């Protein structure tokens, strides 16, 4: 059975018209004769969306009961049994009510697709898993419902339903998105112009990546290697030399000329695995490229130019930046360099050759290290000096052999010397062997002359073969040693990276790993001559110093470094400089965060106090001043009303001041908590009495057999007063709030339920922030500390306070506290 096709309508925010556009497409398909059903559509009370459903067939929802409330979810089994060609499923990121087959709606959609049913669905960019943290930083709201990016990217079509922030805000102001009572709060918080602009950009960029993925797949499927210049991508080739900084900065300037251009730094490693580049320089250049907004890549290839071009074409690059050749004039005459070869093969990709201070100076390399150890070289010389005379004596004593056989035996001896001692002993053996062959076995014997031309040719071939074999043996030994060194370097760097990533303090972990790797007594990191980090005993002068950059220096004590070790230490030093900057930035961020939070709270407190505390003070003062006035004569009823106003205002002021003091104690950790065994049926009536006449309207359904709570009675009463007062504020006379009690495992849950306007689920966390009222302009509600204080007091007693949507509309606050027996056990 063929898998169904998924089409997703992606939006930057609620209200842009995703569901409406999806229903338009459903009508278009139904008009073409396609069997289309609505498996689930959420209209959210939007009349235009409801009207667009029209005469499309709707599959009845499945009714579920959860925690005493009724919910309606998509009936997956009914849709599968109906087997339409196309199913319309709204809100892909929705979390299903417990009791359904799948916890997430996107998993329901996956079953429909597996059954061969095409699906039309919707999702907002804030619900994409990869963007969850980004959206939280932008809007201040963390999304709990997410969809894996892989599932969305796997859709056959993703269509962006776009709308400018200004147009969306106008649509909200006209009441086309939320109910009128929610509009002001939404416009002032989540739907601010800046938030909507950022979310729109995220949606556009995510979709652009999706389109790029599809384009890459299309090019691969059709074997298209030519560059399609859909976006500027600048590739800069790094050799690991000092010129890399110049090349990266030049490439960054080129990329900056094009809006949205990409910068990619790439280093081609030889496929034989031999180290050629300086790892310290590459590490530093990687940091530079990433700091300029680029990315770093490493590829392996035999032909450097071809590997570079393969990478560039693979990423659809438009430009390549190369450094001018550092080789000398003679080397350039003998062979084309990477730059010339790249230009010749680049095709439609522009290639920039950038001059630098090292161009044309030749490659300055230190002397090559010997391929074999000194002992083996001595053994080779001894073998040549003793073996060749012995071979000559043996051939002189034995039966006479043809000259060709003598030459072959001497050639075997030379190869043996090469295997033992390498190039130079083998060269000595080749020259010595040719002289012995000439004197003892080539006519005229006993003279360094050759009578016949063919004998001269044989001796020349002998010397040539001997030299060639010696060179091959020496080169193989040298490559083997270099490969072992490269492998050791790679293993060391990999070990370093792993230890640093696993450590809590990367800088100290890096220095300690350096000390262990090279058996040092101590390693000290200095910045501008001042020690900032050290491991081991740092007494005494340093044995070696390695410079990481202009300001950072690493001192080593315990032994001097070999030249081959210095490259790895330089890589350590470069990473240590990066780790130092990262730790410093993290420390600065950690210091700044509480200061910024404290400043925000102080600002909010001053704003709240300047307005909210002034109101009850003004009311009380006005009432008292009126009573003291001798110009107006009040009757008993007026006097009682003024006294009641003053009393109510002072009570409100008392509650506000108490909340402020408790919040300050809570944040300072100085609030005393004395949990004891207490029954909910004892505390709830006290809280209702504290609310005055309004408290009598609350419906109480707390069972008498509810287990005892482990809580502070006074704090629990304060929490319930705040929660019930908040519920009364948003309730209507015909739908008063309710408080219920139930047991769930090891806890008792007290639920304060109201049927007011409710709060969007993406704003639930905001109601617990101090001095937040979600845009409400009521001047008699206090400074917005009630819920923040309630959560703090609840957590101080070992409980939790979480919001939940009331079925049918409204908000339910769930207060969970441990049962008394469990509290004593803890």
């Amino acid at each position: 059975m063929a898998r169904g096709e998924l089409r997703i309508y992606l939006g930057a925010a609620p209200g842009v018209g995703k569901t409406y556009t999806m229903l338009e497409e459903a009508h278009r398909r139904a008009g073409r004769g396609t069997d289309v059903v609505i498996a689930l559509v959420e209209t959210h009370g939007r009349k235009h969306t409801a009207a667009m459903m029209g005469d499309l067939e709707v599959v009845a929802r499945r009714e579920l009961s959860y925690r005493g409330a009724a919910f309606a979810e998509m009936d997956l089994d009914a849709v599968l049994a109906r087997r339409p060609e196309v199913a319309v499923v709204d809100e892909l990121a929705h979390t299903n009510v417990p009791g359904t087959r799948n916890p997430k709606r996107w998993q329901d959609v996956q079953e429909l697709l597996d059954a061969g049913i095409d699906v039309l669905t919707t999702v907002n960019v804030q619900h994409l898993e990869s963007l969850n943290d980004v959206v939280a930083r932008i809007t201040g709201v963390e999304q709990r419902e997410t969809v894996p990016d892989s599932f969305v990217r796997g859709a056959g079509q993703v269509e962006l339903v776009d709308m400018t922030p200004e147009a969306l805000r106008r649509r909200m102001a006209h009441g086309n998105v939320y109910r009128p009572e929610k509009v002001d709060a939404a416009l002032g918080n989540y739907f601010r112009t800046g938030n909507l602009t950022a979310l729109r950009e995220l949606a556009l960029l995510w979709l652009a990546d999706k389109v790029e993925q599809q384009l890459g797949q299309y090019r691969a499927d059709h074997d298209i290697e030519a560059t399609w210049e859909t976006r500027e991508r600048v590739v800069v080739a790094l050799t690991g030399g000092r010129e890399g900084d110049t090349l990266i900065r030049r490439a960054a300037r080129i990329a900056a000329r094009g809006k949205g251009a990409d910068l990619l730094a790439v280093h081609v490693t030889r496929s034989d695995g031999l180290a050629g580049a300086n790892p310290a320089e590459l590490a530093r250049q990687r940091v530079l490229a990433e700091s300029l907004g680029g990315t770093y890549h490493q590829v392996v290839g035999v032909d450097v130019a071809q590997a570079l071009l393969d990478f560039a074409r693979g990423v659809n690059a438009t430009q390549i930046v190369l450094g001018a050749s550092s080789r000398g004039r003679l080397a350039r005459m003998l062979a084309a360099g990477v730059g010339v070869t790249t230009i010749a093969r680049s095709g439609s990709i522009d290639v920039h050759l950038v001059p630098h201070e090292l161009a044309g100076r030749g490659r300055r390399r230190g002397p090559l290290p010997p391929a074999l150890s000194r002992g083996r070289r001595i053994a080779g010389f001894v073998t040549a000096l003793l073996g060749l005379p012995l071979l000559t004596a043996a051939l002189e004593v034995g039966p006479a052999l043809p000259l060709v056989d003598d030459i072959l035996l001497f050639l075997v001896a030379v190869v043996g010397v090469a295997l033992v001692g390498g190039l130079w002993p083998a060269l000595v053996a080749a020259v010595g062997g040719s002289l012995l062959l000439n004197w003892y076995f080539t006519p005229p014997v006993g003279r360094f002359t050759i009578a016949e031309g063919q004998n001269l040719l044989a001796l020349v071939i002998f010397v040539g073969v001997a030299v060639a074999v010696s060179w091959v043996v020496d080169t193989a030994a040298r490559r083997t040693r270099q490969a072992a060194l490269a492998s050791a370097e790679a293993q060391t760097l990999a070990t370093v990276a792993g230890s640093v990533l696993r450590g809590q303090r990367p800088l100290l972990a890096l220095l300690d790993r350096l000390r262990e790797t090279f058996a040092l007594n101590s390693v000290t990191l200095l910045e501008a001559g001042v020690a900032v980090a050290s491991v081991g005993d740092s007494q005494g002068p340093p044995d070696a110093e390695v410079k990481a950059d202009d300001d950072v220096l690493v001192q080593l004590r315990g032994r001097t470094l070999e030249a081959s070790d210095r490259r790895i230490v330089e890589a350590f030093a470069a990473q240590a400089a990066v780790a130092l900057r990262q730790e410093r930035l993290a420390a600065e961020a950690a210091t700044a965060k509480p200061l910024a939070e404290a400043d925000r709270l102080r600002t909010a407190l001053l704003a709240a106090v300047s307005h909210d505390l002034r109101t009850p003070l003004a009311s009380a003062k006005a009432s008292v001043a009126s009573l003291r006035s001798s110009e107006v004569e009040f009757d008993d009823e007026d006097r009682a009303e003024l006294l009641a106003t003053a009393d109510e205002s002072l009570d409100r002021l008392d509650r506000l001041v108490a909340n402020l003091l408790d919040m300050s104690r809570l944040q300072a950790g100085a609030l005393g908590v004395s949990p004891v065994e207490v029954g909910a049926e004892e505390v709830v009536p006290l809280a209702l009495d504290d609310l005055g006449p309004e408290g009598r309207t609350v419906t109480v359904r707390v069972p008498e057999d509810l287990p005892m709570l482990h809580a502070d009675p006074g704090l629990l009463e304060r929490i319930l007063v705040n929660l019930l007062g908040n519920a009364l504020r948003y309730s209507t006379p015909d739908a008063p709030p309710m408080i219920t009690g139930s047991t769930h495992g090891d806890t008792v849950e007290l639920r304060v339920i109201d049927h007011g306007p409710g709060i969007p689920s993406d704003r639930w966390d905001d109601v617990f922030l101090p001095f937040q009222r979600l845009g409400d302009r009521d001047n008699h509600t206090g400074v917005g500390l009630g819920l923040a204080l309630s959560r703090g007091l609840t957590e101080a007693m070992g409980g939790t306070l979480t919001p939940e949507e009331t079925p049918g509309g409204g908000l339910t606050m769930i207060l969970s506290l441990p049962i008394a027996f469990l509290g004593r056990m803890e």
Side-chain angles (χ1 to χ4, degrees), residues 50 68 89 112 153 184 187 231 249 258 277 309 355 363 403 438 458 599 608 623 642 659 732 750 779 801 812:
V89 183
L112 295 177
R153 290 188 185 278
D184 287 341
L187 290 176
R231 178 166 51 170
R249 293 190 175 94
L309 287 170
R363 295 181 179 177
L403 179 61
N438 190 357
D599 184 66
S623 299
L642 289 172
N659 281 344
T732 57
L750 298 178
N779 292 332
L801 181 62
T812 298

Side-chain angles (χ1 to χ4, degrees), residues 264-449:
L264 301 94
V266 60
H267 171 68
V268 179
T269 303
R270 291 169 53 183
S271 59
D272 57 13
L274 302 183
N278 187 330
E281 288 290 342
L282 284 177
R284 192 172 53 79
Q285 289 165 12
R286 176 175 188 164
V287 174
L288 176 61
E290 292 174 349
S291 69
L292 294 174
T295 56
Y296 178 84
H297 308 267
Q298 193 155 334
V299 297
V300 178
V302 178
D303 186 335
V304 175
Q306 190 60 47
L308 177 62
L309 287 170
D310 288 343
F311 173 81
R313 293 191 178 105
V315 299
N316 204 25
T318 56
Q319 303 184 64
I320 297 176
V321 176
L322 290 168
S325 178
S326 301
R327 300 186 307 157
R329 184 176 303 174
L330 179 60
R332 293 199 301 271
M333 292 174 59
L334 294 175
V338 173
V340 175
T341 307
T342 302
I343 293 173
R345 302 176 185 174
S346 63
S348 60
I349 304 177
D350 296 338
V351 179
H352 303 263
L353 279 179
V354 179
H356 51 86
E357 60 180 6
L358 301 179
R361 295 187 178 182
R363 295 181 179 177
R364 299 182 179 180
R365 296 179 178 175
L368 292 176
L372 300 175
S373 65
R374 182 180 180 184
R376 287 191 59 178
R377 295 198 304 275
I378 293 175
F381 282 117
V382 171
T383 302
L385 294 176
L386 295 179
L388 293 180
L390 290 176
L391 176 61
T392 302
L395 292 175
E396 282 286 321
V397 173
L401 297 174
L403 179 61
V404 174
D405 293 344
D406 295 333
I407 290 176
L408 290 176
L409 290 173
F410 269 87
L411 182 60
V412 171
V414 172
V415 171
V417 171
L419 292 174
V420 174
L423 177 61
W424 294 108
L427 291 178
V428 170
V431 173
S434 65
L435 294 175
L436 290 173
L437 282 169
N438 190 357
W439 182 269
Y440 287 102
F441 305 104
T442 304
V445 176
R447 298 172 59 186
F448 287 111
T449 57

Side-chain angles (χ1 to χ4, degrees), residues 489-823:
E489 290 181 355
Q491 186 175 1
T492 300
L493 292 175
T495 304
V496 170
S499 65
V500 171
L501 290 174
R502 290 188 294 269
Q504 295 293 326
R505 297 288 304 278
L507 178 58
L508 292 179
L510 190 67
L511 298 181
D512 195 53
R513 178 60 66 181
L514 174 60
R515 183 177 64 86
E516 292 177 358
T517 301
F518 294 98
L520 300 168
N521 293 335
S522 72
V523 178
T524 304
L525 184 71
L526 293 91
E527 185 179 30
V530 179
V532 294
S534 180
V535 294
D537 184 7
S538 58
Q539 300 296 323
D543 295 302
E545 293 185 342
V546 175
K547 194 172 184 180
D549 56 26
D550 294 338
D551 297 326
V552 179
L553 183 73
V554 176
Q555 291 183 344
L556 312 174
R557 293 175 177 82
R559 70 181 182 90
T560 56
L561 286 178
E562 297 181 7
S564 58
D565 293 338
R566 194 172 186 87
R567 284 162 44 93
I568 302 299
V569 176
E570 288 175 352
F572 271 96
Q575 293 297 332
V578 174
L580 174 62
R581 294 187 180 94
Q582 288 177 340
E583 284 197 0
R584 188 159 294 157
L585 289 173
E588 291 175 357
T591 303
K593 184 176 180 180
L595 294 176
E597 182 66 19
D599 184 66
R600 187 188 68 81
L601 290 175
R602 280 195 299 269
T603 302
L605 176 60
L606 290 174
V609 169
S610 65
H611 190 281
D612 293 319
L613 295 185
R614 187 190 309 162
T615 302
L617 281 173
S619 298
K621 182 174 177 59
S623 299
V624 173
S626 299
L627 290 171
R628 294 187 61 189
S629 175
S630 58
E631 298 178 0
V632 181
E633 191 71 30
F634 296 101
D635 57 21
D636 292 341
E637 184 178 351
D638 291 337
R639 186 176 291 102
E641 183 176 351
L642 289 172
L643 287 172
T645 300
D647 184 60
E648 181 183 352
S649 299
L650 291 174
D651 284 343
R652 186 180 303 122
L653 180 62
D654 180 65
R655 285 195 295 270
L656 294 177
V657 172
N659 281 344
L660 286 170
L661 291 175
D662 283 346
M663 178 57 75
S664 64
R665 294 191 189 102
L666 191 63
Q667 291 181 339
L671 183 67
V673 179
S674 302
V676 296
E677 290 187 10
V678 61
E681 71 281 1
E682 302 173 16
V683 181
V684 171
L686 297 176
L688 296 177
D689 290 341
D690 195 29
L691 292 170
E694 287 186 327
R696 301 188 186 96
T697 64
V698 177
T699 303
V700 180
R701 294 182 180 174
V702 178
E704 294 183 358
D705 58 348
L706 200 65
M708 300 288 284
L709 300 171
H710 185 68
D712 186 312
L715 298 184
L716 179 56
E717 182 182 345
R718 291 286 302 282
I719 295 170
L720 292 176
V721 168
N722 284 331
L723 297 181
L724 291 167
N726 196 63
L728 285 166
R729 176 185 167 206
Y730 290 106
S731 297
T732 57
D734 58 334
M738 177 189 301
I739 179 170
T740 66
S742 59
T743 304
H744 289 274
D746 301 337
T747 62
V748 170
E749 288 189 355
L750 298 178
R751 292 170 169 262
V752 177
I753 306 167
D754 71 64
H755 298 279
I759 298 173
S761 59
D762 55 6
R763 301 306 312 273
W764 283 349
D765 287 340
D766 288 359
V767 301
F768 295 107
L769 298 176
F771 318 114
Q772 301 294 318
R773 294 188 306 200
L774 296 185
D776 200 335
R777 299 297 185 264
D778 184 359
N779 292 332
H780 303 283
T781 59
V783 295
L785 278 175
L787 292 179
L789 180 61
S790 297
R791 171 171 276 188
L793 296 178
T794 303
E795 292 176 350
M797 293 188 294
T800 60
L801 181 62
T802 55
E804 184 179 86
E805 185 177 358
T806 301
L811 184 69
T812 298
M813 301 300 296
I814 306 173
L815 173 62
S816 299
L817 290 169
I819 295 176
F821 176 76
L822 295 173

